[in-house]
Amino acid sequence: MRRSLGDGWSMKLSGPWTWETTDDCVTTWRASSRAMRAGPGPSWRCADGADIIASLDAELPPDPTAKVGEGGRDGVGHRAAWLYCHDQEFTLYGFTFVDGAYLETVFTGATTADLEWAFGAWRSVTRSVDG
């Protein structure tokens, strides 16, 4: 099911998710042993995508397990993600860039064997033209 994240952003989250809270433009959804938090990043019109990604990289925790970058499609400029695995838990910081704006999404899960849902949700993020 496609869930609204505010400001025209949305993503697909399969299964039973519960909207938890929206504070300072940050939306939180929870499901059994999973969580997703999303919020808009600051405007980046005066910088190029490489500069923004370098800035994000400097602000995220050190030593990611993996970094992923993807070209855009379906109205998305490009995507970037950092994956962290600690013990059996994981956190995926995903960023989706559209027309001078971006959405930061943070996915957490209780088991590293269950990463597909987080990558699928991150890749499903879109922003409506009128939003």
Side-chain angles (χ1 to χ4, degrees):
M1 172 181 227
R2 187 153 286 280
R3 314 288 177 144
S4 174
L5 304 173
D7 196 27
W9 295 99
S10 67
M11 82 169 41
K12 289 182 184 175
L13 290 172
S14 299
W17 285 82
T18 303
W19 174 79
E20 189 170 86
T21 184
T22 301
D23 292 323
D24 298 325
C25 298
V26 175
T27 301
T28 303
W29 290 85
R30 294 202 183 275
S32 177
S33 70
R34 300 175 181 172
M36 190 286 304
R37 179 174 48 88
S43 176
W44 56 283
R45 293 183 192 280
C46 296
D48 66 23
D51 290 337
I52 296 301
I53 290 173
S55 173
L56 294 171
D57 191 38
E59 294 175 14
L60 290 171
D63 303 321
T65 303
K67 293 181 185 181
V68 180
E70 299 180 347
R73 65 182 184 281
D74 301 327
V76 171
H78 57 280
R79 302 178 195 279
W82 286 253
L83 174 65
Y84 298 86
C85 296
H86 300 286
D87 298 321
Q88 292 299 309
E89 297 182 343
F90 74 89
T91 304
L92 176 70
Y93 290 83
F95 299 87
T96 305
F97 298 86
V98 176
D99 296 330
Y102 71 91
L103 183 75
E104 177 181 358
T105 47
V106 180
F107 304 90
T108 56
T111 174
T112 56
D114 185 23
L115 293 172
E116 283 188 43
W117 74 268
F119 279 102
W122 168 60
R123 289 180 174 121
S124 77
V125 171
T126 60
R127 189 172 190 211
S128 64
V129 177
D130 58 346

